[in-house]
Amino acid sequence: LIQLVRFAYRMVDSLYPLTATAAQRFELWCGQAQRPLSEEQKELFRTIATYVAQNGGCDFDRLRAVVPELVLELRKFYSAKDAANQALFSLNEFILKAA
């Protein structure tokens, strides 16, 4: 939907599926985070990045309502909801930035 609006207002010249670029943007996000991520964390955030690309974003509460198993995984790495949301918002912004 974001891309359709931008295309309609001639902000972008072409339409393309965001899911096709999500993997590339995810890798850039991991590198830009400048903190070591375990393979388990990378796999979790890779799954969340796919969800963001397909659904237009997420936060802790939305994930809890829609994909509760991802929240269980997030809780392994973040003890506070605010800390998890900070990481999720950063990922959302990076994946959707140029959508």
Side-chain angles (χ1 to χ4, degrees):
L1 182 59
I2 295 167
Q3 282 194 53
L4 288 174
V5 171
R6 287 184 178 171
F7 184 75
Y9 283 100
R10 300 176 193 257
M11 296 171 70
V12 294
D13 295 331
S14 60
L15 295 173
Y16 57 90
L18 184 56
T19 53
T21 59
Q24 178 184 19
R25 290 182 184 167
F26 170 74
E27 292 300 327
L28 290 171
W29 178 80
C30 287
Q32 191 174 28
Q34 296 181 358
R35 66 180 179 273
L37 295 173
S38 69
E39 286 304 313
E40 187 179 8
Q41 286 173 305
K42 275 185 132 176
E43 192 56 39
L44 170 63
F45 281 108
R46 184 176 285 116
T47 301
I48 294 171
T50 301
Y51 180 89
V52 167
Q54 292 172 345
N55 296 284
C58 70
D59 64 10
F60 189 87
D61 291 330
R62 185 170 175 189
L63 280 180
R64 184 174 44 205
V66 179
V67 195
E69 60 272 10
L70 290 180
V71 170
L72 293 175
E73 293 295 315
L74 270 174
R75 287 181 188 244
K76 290 181 184 178
F77 307 111
Y78 299 98
S79 58
K81 177 180 167 180
D82 289 341
N85 267 333
Q86 185 177 3
L88 292 171
F89 294 152
S90 169
L91 182 60
N92 283 326
E93 182 180 354
F94 214 87
I95 298 295
L96 300 173
K97 175 189 324 188

